[in-house]
Amino acid sequence: GTGTWTKTGGSGNAVFSPNVNSPNATVTVDAYDAYQFTWTEVSNGCLDSDAVNVNFYEQPVANAGSGGNECDLNFSLSATPSAGTGTWTKQSGSGNLSFAPNANDPNAIVTSDTYGTFTLRWTEVNGTCSDFDDVTVNFNEQPVANAGLGGDECDLNFSLSAVPSLGTGTWTKTGGSGNAVFSPNVNSPNATVTVDAYDAYQFTWTE
């Protein structure tokens, strides 16, 4: 006999291609939802039908936002949600992470228990469809700069005495009328600074 497809459940409209009488038709809907399609066959006044259920899910497009560098152990994530449920997970990194208020919040604050580089993954799952995107976050320990002691000098040379902590330190002149030269270089915590004019000077040690 002749078979015919009809939509018997679902919120949107359905179009069957090449036509409603093709047993292997492709059905296209205009709204994501759970649908029921019924195949009815008629032959010499007799008929029978059977139904199938099809769930149409929107494909997520994961966007984890931007990673970055943080001078402590907390970082504000910024995923852009699309469809379904998103979840943050750690892909690499030596420490443990926690997400507040939870791992499903696209703007969760991630807290690490150790400094280092971490790869974080934002995965969105919508039914049987999924997508993911990764970001890299560097948790760096905050330096604590200590420039040591200044003093009074009866010439144009002074031995500086910074106490280095982390990273690279650099001396700069931040006050005084003359020019300053640091020896052996501006990155030496115990550099000798030589100025070309008598005055009160300020030297800053930045790490």
Side-chain angles (χ1 to χ4, degrees):
T2 301
T4 305
W5 284 110
T6 54
K7 187 199 83 169
T8 49
S11 60
N13 299 307
V15 176
F16 299 91
S17 178
N19 55 63
V20 296
N21 303 120
S22 173
N24 299 313
T26 297
V27 60
T28 301
V29 297
D30 58 7
Y32 296 104
D33 200 359
Y35 287 79
Q36 183 183 73
F37 303 107
T38 299
W39 174 251
T40 302
E41 292 183 342
V42 179
S43 177
N44 297 320
C46 303
L47 64 84
D48 192 24
S49 62
D50 190 30
V52 293
N53 297 311
V54 180
N55 297 311
F56 291 90
Y57 295 107
E58 184 176 358
Q59 172 63 46
V61 180
N63 180 352
S66 300
N69 300 305
E70 189 72 16
C71 293
D72 54 32
L73 293 173
N74 302 299
F75 184 80
S76 296
L77 298 164
S78 57
T80 302
S82 61
T85 301
T87 305
W88 287 107
T89 55
K90 184 189 83 169
Q91 294 302 300
S92 67
S94 59
N96 298 307
L97 300 178
S98 61
F99 300 91
N102 55 65
N104 303 118
D105 189 330
N107 299 310
I109 295 175
V110 58
T111 300
S112 173
D113 63 0
T114 185
Y115 296 102
T117 298
F118 291 81
T119 299
L120 306 179
R121 175 165 294 178
W122 174 250
T123 302
E124 291 184 342
V125 177
N126 189 27
T128 56
C129 307
S130 65
D131 192 26
F132 67 84
D133 190 29
D134 294 342
V135 292
T136 299
V137 178
N138 299 305
F139 293 98
N140 301 311
E141 188 171 357
Q142 174 67 47
V144 179
N146 182 348
L149 299 175
D152 299 317
E153 190 72 16
C154 295
D155 54 30
L156 294 174
N157 302 303
F158 183 79
S159 296
L160 298 164
S161 57
V163 179
S165 62
L166 296 167
T168 300
T170 305
W171 285 109
T172 55
K173 188 199 83 170
T174 49
S177 59
N179 299 306
V181 176
F182 300 91
S183 178
N185 55 63
V186 296
N187 304 119
S188 174
N190 299 313
T192 297
V193 59
T194 302
V195 297
D196 58 6
Y198 295 103
D199 199 356
Y201 287 80
Q202 183 182 71
F203 303 106
T204 298
W205 175 250
T206 303
E207 292 184 339

